[in-house]
Amino acid sequence: MPAYHSIFLQDQDVRLIGNIALLPLRTRTRGPAYTLPPLPADTLAIDVDPESESYDPLDEVLSLFRANTFFRNFEIKGPADRLLIYGILFVSECLGKIRAGMGAREAEKALLNAALDQFAIPGDASFPLNQAFEAPRDRQDAESLRQYLSQVRQELAIRLLQRVYAGGNTPSKWWLSFTKRKFMGKSL
């Protein structure tokens, strides 16, 4: 059975840095990404329909995370798949920072700190997937990519917390069961 790929592969006229797509996001976090319209008032952030104009790559990362985590191989079909891979690896890192007895506030602090920490981008020696990602052309592109990925990381941390702590102040055991799994055998 093949892994699930991004539905954003068909999007045309997407800005690329290296070979990562800078897709629009539904976010309140400052950064270079174009902003999608907010969700309608009657829609929960957890239940966004993929056909909605507000559905973004981060919704896709969170919905495909559990299924794709079981795959050790992933055929990259385009730039949107690279963003999906990066998002899944970051969600894995975040889940590793949440412990079973951790309250929502403590987890929020830990995940937002992880999102804001210094991180490697494609082309850096410490980036784990340099063989599948191209480095940015110049210093300006590298800074734009770093800002975009920082925006992605912050928004993913916020949305992950909404899902992991949907039932109250204790984390979902179901989400935490994925803490030891490594997508493609890699970690950020």
Side-chain angles (χ1 to χ4, degrees):
M1 183 173 137
Y4 295 98
H5 293 277
S6 178
I7 63 169
F8 297 99
L9 289 172
Q10 304 98 348
D11 287 2
Q12 302 298 320
D13 300 325
V14 174
R15 182 173 176 220
L16 297 177
I17 293 183
N19 55 2
I20 297 178
L22 273 61
L23 296 165
L25 304 175
R26 187 185 71 249
T27 181
R28 290 180 301 270
T29 306
R30 287 180 14 148
Y34 295 112
T35 306
L36 291 175
L39 290 173
D42 61 337
T43 306
L44 294 173
I46 296 173
D47 302 323
V48 181
D49 180 30
E51 300 300 318
S52 168
E53 67 176 356
S54 297
Y55 188 77
D56 71 357
L58 305 183
D59 292 319
E60 183 178 54
V61 165
L62 291 168
S63 65
L64 296 179
F65 170 77
R66 295 181 306 262
N68 278 351
T69 301
F70 292 106
F71 292 98
R72 294 199 47 79
N73 298 318
F74 187 87
E75 178 189 355
I76 299 172
K77 294 188 176 181
D81 273 349
R82 287 180 179 84
L83 185 59
L84 179 67
I85 290 169
Y86 187 85
I88 289 173
L89 291 175
F90 181 69
V91 168
S92 293
E93 179 182 324
C94 287
L95 287 174
K97 295 192 181 300
I98 300 174
R99 293 182 311 281
M102 196 178 253
R105 280 273 194 232
E106 192 180 349
E108 179 181 15
K109 190 176 181 181
L111 293 192
L112 290 178
N113 283 339
L116 294 170
D117 278 348
Q118 186 69 23
F119 58 92
I121 62 170
D124 291 351
S126 59
F127 189 73
L129 292 167
N130 272 330
Q131 70 275 11
F133 287 73
E134 286 180 19
R137 278 192 325 262
D138 54 29
R139 187 175 255 147
Q140 183 179 358
D141 276 357
E143 188 55 37
S144 293
L145 181 60
R146 186 175 302 281
Q147 289 173 355
Y148 180 77
L149 291 178
S150 178
Q151 188 177 12
V152 164
R153 290 164 66 99
Q154 290 173 55
E155 189 64 30
L156 262 177
I158 292 166
R159 292 190 199 178
L160 180 63
L161 282 167
Q162 291 172 347
R163 290 174 189 240
V164 172
Y165 286 91
N169 197 37
T170 56
S172 163
K173 290 185 229 175
W174 197 73
W175 273 95
L176 292 185
S177 67
F178 288 90
T179 56
K180 295 205 174 16
R181 289 218 125 324
K182 289 192 175 194
F183 176 59
M184 297 172 52
K186 303 277 185 188
S187 62
L188 288 181

